[in-house]
Amino acid sequence: MRFVVIGGDAAGMSAASRARRLYPDLEITVLEQGHDVSYSACSMPYNIADPDTPMDDLVVRTAEEFIEKHHIHLLTGHEITAIHPDKKQVTGRTLQGDPVVFAYDKLLIATGAVPTLPDLPGKDRLMPLKQLEHGRRIKDVIRKNKVKNAVILGMGYIALEMCEALTELGIHVTMVKPGPRLLPWLPEKIAQIIQTHLIEKQITLHMGTHIQRIEPAGTGSTIVCDTMNLDADLAIGATGVAPCSGLAKNAGLTLGVSNAIQVDPYLRTSNPDIFAAGDCGDAIHVVTGKPVWIPLALRANRAGWAVADNLFKDSNALQGVAGTAVFKVFDLAVARTGLTFFEAKNAGFDPVENQITSLSRARWQPGAAKIHVNMVGDRRSGRLLGAQITGTDGVAHRINAVAVALHATMSVADFIQTDLAYAPPFSPTWDPMLTAAIQLGKKL
Amino acid sequence: MRFVVIGGDAAGMSAASRARRLYPDLEITVLEQGHDVSYSACSMPYNIADPDTPMDDLVVRTAEEFIEKHHIHLLTGHEITAIHPDKKQVTGRTLQGDPVVFAYDKLLIATGAVPTLPDLPGKDRLMPLKQLEHGRRIKDVIRKNKVKNAVILGMGYIALEMCEALTELGIHVTMVKPGPRLLPWLPEKIAQIIQTHLIEKQITLHMGTHIQRIEPAGTGSTIVCDTMNLDADLAIGATGVAPCSGLAKNAGLTLGVSNAIQVDPYLRTSNPDIFAAGDCGDAIHVVTGKPVWIPLALRANRAGWAVADNLFKDSNALQGVAGTAVFKVFDLAVARTGLTFFEAKNAGFDPVENQITSLSRARWQPGAAKIHVNMVGDRRSGRLLGAQITGTDGVAHRINAVAVALHATMSVADFIQTDLAYAPPFSPTWDPMLTAAIQLGKKL
């Protein structure tokens, strides 16, 4: 039996490793178009902030390890250009241009996502940050060009993490986006806290600014906007990602929401011998019960793992994602799970939201800091739908209590009753998540 | 209508305050035998560590505030010695010895818990730490007697918190207990981590040591043990607490587990006009469904609040407690929720436990530290039963994800599927709670 995996990152290598553990005799081939497999993409901004640590430190396991220790046929520099479900083959080429053909019994598409750069003249001058190779390039430019000014197009997770990393290197950062608001999915008050924090950290923000083109300027670029020109020793494009689903589409597989590859709870595509996992595939949202495309690392690892479990029998049905995410921007952490007010409205709920500000610890404790919580519930059913938090202390893990409640389809009233940990160095008597739920409960 | 509350701490004052908000015309009387009401008892060890902050800073609201702002008849220095359910009266005396009688329509017993000191000759020389007055006395002794050596009898939460506080003041601490193990409810490996940490912090531990008597020695004491004598400028008794249920018992009310006052989900005792809330009453454990006595601050506040809701109609049924608790001992946090292996066994489950050691953050991140998780599940049903954690980073709030899962009667398999937050500065891709659940799942 031949198991072929297209893509050697989180989902692909999780699937290959677990398949090896489960099936010692399985013939496993992983085809990766780049040179790197199994690295911590999410750690790249932190590595960029640290000139003394090579980017290659983020490699979790090397290709050699997979090949020699796990007996996986891992072929890097192999780009797959077509899937032929009728012949159960994939075809493509090596970096040298030689054609390649691989036959499979079971196939996993784990092609991930690609950065979507705005379609502007000179967009090739924008450096994305998705693959390890992108990270190496950005680090090289910083080192060689003595970068003083960076311009980041976009203001999402990656943009904000890069903004902190570059500032730590003494680089002044300007962020630009055409939209009118920072993190528009967050309640305005919480987004404003983050915006104020960025400005305190000397970040220049240009919202509502349309970029016309990117021109060369010495070793750097000039970002030509409608109202100004921005000099950039380094120009980063962090304007979002899209699922890498072209191969699947051309093979006649069904695409779903956001053009991600549609999968069932067993990670099977519309072809029963072809699985998809990771950032190229969709997932069921545990709150709406509907497909969503939320490319995040935990899901990619979990889905890859589940593919191996389900290769020959349906044994690991994934329940879905709550969209739990956290990121750090300077001293603030920002976390979310479940639905925002507008997402809930669009999903057909009758949402009610409420914001509270509490303390992260008992007020006498050193380190006690404000924590801002927005919580969303459904007026009709009383169900808890989601939460968004920011603060400088005790944010990241607090969101998980709500995430678990969403998986359990808990009501706001039931969440209010949960017995959360209290000790003065760690929390007020009523954890901020409980205070948020109590106040939301009054509005429901 | 007259609502009388015996006891002016967390549960009593929560009930009185909320009753005032709900019923502006209700006649509310709170009878407190001491002088202090509404203070953060749990913060006392941290206040003791800080000589510059008076103990009275821990007062959340003063008696005057309740009286003037909330129009509550709050009488301090009033000790109630008997409840007469037939006459719907309580009787007692003032500090001056004058007899007092109060008639009630609805009564709340919120008498809390009392320290249980071992019945030894000289036990009056041991200083407990339960009420604010105890905290003031300990602080006075430290200041006046230039304390260099302290001996703490007991090694529970309070003892360990005091051990840290005294060490911060430059006082050498010796801890003594007759039992053979530190924190015997914890798995041995986790208890051993805490024991090693205490020893690194220069704490002297005497386990298996029986105390015979406490003798005066200068301004301090000598703790006479079976194998040695310990000099103590300060001798603290932290050997546990017991519910203050004598009044209830003498009034014919039903006591339950650990002699706590038995209450229903509406906090009613066996007499429908008498409620009990806080450390004097029991609660239903959400995992076992059976009554337990776990005296903790959040439950006390929540129960007091619910009593007000339920005074005249059954409107707030408490679902119970998961026994979630956290405490800090030097650099370590120790957290638990639900059942330990032995508690699960005693409750009739077929428990399986597993311990893992993971990292609190991605391994490249500054601050990443070991986190040790023990998780308990039921072999028969697959249900998640509890967890215990220790570590120096990211422990306290992580327990809450499990606590919520216990409230939702989640299986280990379902918990494995939860979408917990990941970003390198806050967590590995698989949160340690997920790793613990996955490894436990393999044993089930």
Side-chain angles (χ1 to χ4, degrees):
Chain A
M1 293 292 279
R2 292 156 303 186
F3 177 37
V4 171
V5 178
I6 309 174
D9 204 343
M13 295 322 299
S14 293
S17 306
R18 188 163 172 88
R20 171 54 69 236
R21 273 201 300 283
L22 295 174
Y23 304 104
D25 300 324
L26 187 67
E27 190 179 311
I28 305 173
T29 304
V30 178
L31 305 164
E32 164 58 41
Q33 65 175 37
H35 282 297
D36 303 300
V37 294
S38 188
Y39 55 88
S40 175
C42 304
S43 291
M44 288 195 288
Y46 307 97
N47 183 285
I48 288 169
D50 175 7
D52 299 329
T53 304
M55 191 55 80
D56 283 32
D57 260 35
L58 300 185
V59 171
V60 178
R61 279 187 284 183
T62 61
E64 289 66 35
E65 202 177 334
F66 286 108
I67 294 166
E68 285 161 26
K69 205 166 142 195
H70 301 287
H71 309 293
I72 290 167
H73 303 295
L74 173 54
L75 301 167
T76 54
H78 278 61
E79 187 191 0
I80 297 307
T81 52
I83 301 167
H84 311 280
D86 48 335
K87 294 189 271 186
K88 299 187 90 171
Q89 286 182 350
V90 300
T91 54
R93 55 178 169 252
T94 64
L95 277 183
Q96 292 74 33
D98 298 321
V100 291
V101 183
F102 296 89
Y104 66 82
D105 294 296
K106 302 286 176 185
L107 177 69
L108 168 60
I109 306 173
T111 43
V114 278
T116 50
L117 295 176
D119 193 17
L120 298 169
K123 69 172 176 178
D124 293 348
R125 303 192 65 76
L126 293 174
M127 304 186 76
L129 182 66
K130 181 76 180 70
Q131 299 161 15
L132 204 59
E133 191 51 34
H134 298 150
R136 289 193 194 99
R137 282 176 51 202
I138 290 175
K139 237 173 151 162
D140 276 353
V141 167
I142 292 170
R143 192 179 50 242
K144 290 183 187 154
N145 297 359
K146 298 197 169 39
V147 170
K148 293 285 165 213
N149 287 296
V151 174
I152 303 177
L153 275 62
M155 299 192 190
Y157 296 3
I158 303 296
L160 291 167
E161 287 171 351
M162 276 308 293
C163 159
E164 178 182 350
L166 296 172
T167 301
E168 275 186 44
L169 293 170
I171 297 169
H172 177 260
V173 178
T174 301
M175 302 177 90
V176 190
K177 70 179 270 189
R181 279 186 56 200
L182 180 72
L183 300 165
W185 52 268
L186 274 177
E188 258 190 82
K189 198 179 146 192
I190 291 182
Q192 189 58 55
I193 291 163
I194 301 160
Q195 184 167 319
T196 303
H197 190 63
L198 286 168
I199 289 167
E200 283 167 1
K201 295 292 181 179
Q202 315 300 328
I203 305 303
T204 303
L205 298 176
H206 293 300
M207 275 156 295
T209 298
H210 294 266
I211 298 140
Q212 298 183 325
R213 62 186 180 281
I214 299 122
E215 294 178 349
T219 59
S221 305
T222 298
I223 316 292
V224 181
C225 306
D226 46 1
T227 54
M228 76 195 104
N229 287 356
L230 297 168
D231 291 332
D233 300 328
L234 171 67
I236 289 178
T239 47
V241 289
C244 236
S245 55
L247 272 181
K249 188 184 174 194
N250 293 338
L253 303 181
T254 306
L255 302 192
V257 56
S258 303
N259 282 321
I261 305 167
Q262 189 177 297
V263 294
D264 71 8
Y266 299 97
L267 287 315
R268 262 188 314 247
T269 65
S270 52
N271 181 311
D273 292 318
I274 306 180
F275 297 83
D279 291 357
C280 61
D282 68 2
I284 295 299
H285 196 292
V286 294
V287 178
T288 64
K290 291 173 192 157
V292 282
W293 182 63
I294 304 177
L296 286 170
L298 174 59
R299 165 74 186 190
N301 280 274
R302 184 177 263 152
W305 193 341
V307 166
D309 291 342
N310 297 326
L311 268 184
F312 302 110
K313 59 177 192 292
D314 289 351
S315 68
N316 189 349
L318 294 192
Q319 293 171 1
V321 298
T324 313
V326 61
F327 63 94
K328 181 175 178 294
V329 48
F330 294 104
D331 308 335
L332 284 177
V334 185
R336 66 166 295 177
T337 190
L339 305 181
T340 64
F341 179 86
F342 289 104
E343 289 167 350
K345 207 160 181 73
N346 289 336
F349 291 102
D350 180 12
V352 178
E353 69 179 341
N354 188 67
Q355 285 163 44
I356 62 126
T357 298
S358 179
L359 283 177
S360 61
R361 313 178 185 211
R363 67 176 161 93
W364 305 273
Q365 284 286 324
K370 279 186 186 170
I371 184 164
H372 309 274
V373 184
N374 187 65
M375 199 171 267
V376 186
D378 181 38
R379 197 192 307 270
R380 274 194 299 272
S381 63
R383 194 172 158 192
L384 180 60
L385 299 178
Q388 302 86 38
I389 328 178
T390 194
T392 55
D393 185 49
V395 166
H397 307 140
R398 276 195 162 103
I399 201 71
N400 290 342
V402 180
V404 173
L406 296 181
H407 277 270
T409 329
M410 227 179 224
S411 67
V412 174
D414 284 349
F415 186 77
I416 288 170
Q417 296 245 6
T418 58
D419 190 6
L420 303 189
Y422 161 57
F426 306 113
S427 177
T429 313
W430 294 88
D431 188 272
M433 305 318 288
L434 292 175
T435 303
I438 290 167
Q439 296 305 322
L440 174 61
K442 290 181 183 172
K443 277 196 179 177
L444 282 175
Chain B
M1 293 292 278
R2 293 157 302 188
F3 177 38
V4 172
V5 178
I6 309 174
D9 204 343
M13 295 321 299
S14 292
S17 306
R18 188 164 172 88
R20 172 53 71 236
R21 272 201 301 282
L22 295 174
Y23 303 105
D25 299 327
L26 186 68
E27 192 178 308
I28 305 172
T29 304
V30 178
L31 305 163
E32 164 57 43
Q33 66 175 34
H35 282 295
D36 303 299
V37 294
S38 187
Y39 55 89
S40 175
C42 304
S43 291
M44 288 195 289
Y46 306 96
N47 182 285
I48 286 168
D50 174 7
D52 300 329
T53 305
M55 191 54 80
D56 283 32
D57 260 34
L58 300 186
V59 171
V60 179
R61 279 189 283 183
T62 61
E64 290 66 34
E65 201 178 334
F66 285 108
I67 294 166
E68 286 161 25
K69 204 165 142 197
H70 301 286
H71 310 291
I72 290 166
H73 304 294
L74 172 55
L75 301 167
T76 54
H78 278 61
E79 186 192 1
I80 297 306
T81 52
I83 301 167
H84 311 280
D86 48 334
K87 294 189 271 186
K88 298 187 90 170
Q89 285 182 349
V90 299
T91 54
R93 55 179 171 252
T94 64
L95 277 182
Q96 293 74 33
D98 299 320
V100 290
V101 183
F102 295 89
Y104 66 84
D105 294 295
K106 301 287 175 184
L107 177 68
L108 167 61
I109 306 173
T111 44
V114 279
T116 49
L117 295 175
D119 193 17
L120 298 168
K123 69 171 174 177
D124 293 347
R125 304 193 64 76
L126 292 174
M127 304 186 76
L129 182 65
K130 181 77 180 68
Q131 299 161 16
L132 204 59
E133 192 50 34
H134 297 150
R136 288 192 195 98
R137 282 175 51 201
I138 290 175
K139 235 172 152 162
D140 276 354
V141 167
I142 291 170
R143 192 178 52 240
K144 288 183 187 154
N145 295 0
K146 298 195 170 39
V147 170
K148 293 284 166 215
N149 287 297
V151 174
I152 303 177
L153 274 62
M155 300 193 191
Y157 296 2
I158 304 294
L160 291 168
E161 287 171 350
M162 277 307 294
C163 160
E164 178 182 350
L166 295 171
T167 301
E168 275 186 41
L169 293 168
I171 298 168
H172 178 258
V173 178
T174 301
M175 303 178 89
V176 190
K177 68 179 274 188
R181 278 188 54 200
L182 180 72
L183 300 165
W185 52 269
L186 274 178
E188 258 190 83
K189 197 180 145 192
I190 290 182
Q192 188 58 54
I193 290 163
I194 302 160
Q195 184 167 318
T196 302
H197 191 63
L198 287 168
I199 289 167
E200 282 168 0
K201 296 290 182 180
Q202 316 299 329
I203 306 302
T204 303
L205 299 176
H206 292 300
M207 276 158 292
T209 299
H210 294 265
I211 298 140
Q212 297 183 328
R213 61 187 181 280
I214 298 119
E215 293 178 350
T219 59
S221 306
T222 298
I223 317 292
V224 181
C225 306
D226 45 2
T227 53
M228 75 196 105
N229 287 356
L230 297 168
D231 290 333
D233 300 327
L234 172 67
I236 289 179
T239 47
V241 290
C244 235
S245 56
L247 274 180
K249 187 184 175 192
N250 294 338
L253 302 181
T254 306
L255 302 191
V257 56
S258 304
N259 282 321
I261 306 168
Q262 189 177 298
V263 294
D264 70 9
Y266 299 97
L267 287 315
R268 263 188 315 247
T269 66
S270 53
N271 181 311
D273 292 317
I274 306 179
F275 296 83
D279 290 356
C280 62
D282 67 3
I284 296 298
H285 197 291
V286 294
V287 179
T288 64
K290 291 174 191 157
V292 282
W293 182 64
I294 303 177
L296 286 171
L298 174 59
R299 164 74 184 190
N301 280 274
R302 185 177 261 152
W305 193 342
V307 166
D309 290 341
N310 297 326
L311 268 184
F312 302 110
K313 59 178 192 295
D314 290 351
S315 69
N316 189 349
L318 292 192
Q319 293 171 1
V321 298
T324 314
V326 60
F327 64 95
K328 181 177 178 291
V329 49
F330 295 102
D331 309 333
L332 284 177
V334 185
R336 66 166 294 177
T337 190
L339 306 181
T340 63
F341 180 87
F342 288 105
E343 288 166 350
K345 208 161 179 73
N346 290 337
F349 291 101
D350 180 11
V352 178
E353 69 180 338
N354 188 66
Q355 286 163 44
I356 61 124
T357 298
S358 179
L359 284 177
S360 60
R361 313 177 186 210
R363 67 178 159 93
W364 304 273
Q365 285 286 324
K370 279 185 186 171
I371 183 163
H372 310 272
V373 184
N374 186 64
M375 199 169 267
V376 186
D378 182 37
R379 196 190 308 268
R380 273 195 299 272
S381 62
R383 195 172 157 192
L384 180 60
L385 299 177
Q388 302 86 38
I389 326 179
T390 194
T392 54
D393 185 49
V395 166
H397 307 142
R398 276 196 162 101
I399 201 71
N400 290 341
V402 180
V404 173
L406 297 181
H407 278 269
T409 329
M410 229 179 224
S411 67
V412 175
D414 283 348
F415 186 77
I416 288 172
Q417 297 245 5
T418 58
D419 189 7
L420 304 189
Y422 160 58
F426 306 115
S427 177
T429 312
W430 294 89
D431 188 272
M433 305 318 289
L434 291 176
T435 303
I438 290 166
Q439 295 305 322
L440 174 60
K442 290 181 184 172
K443 277 195 178 178
L444 282 175

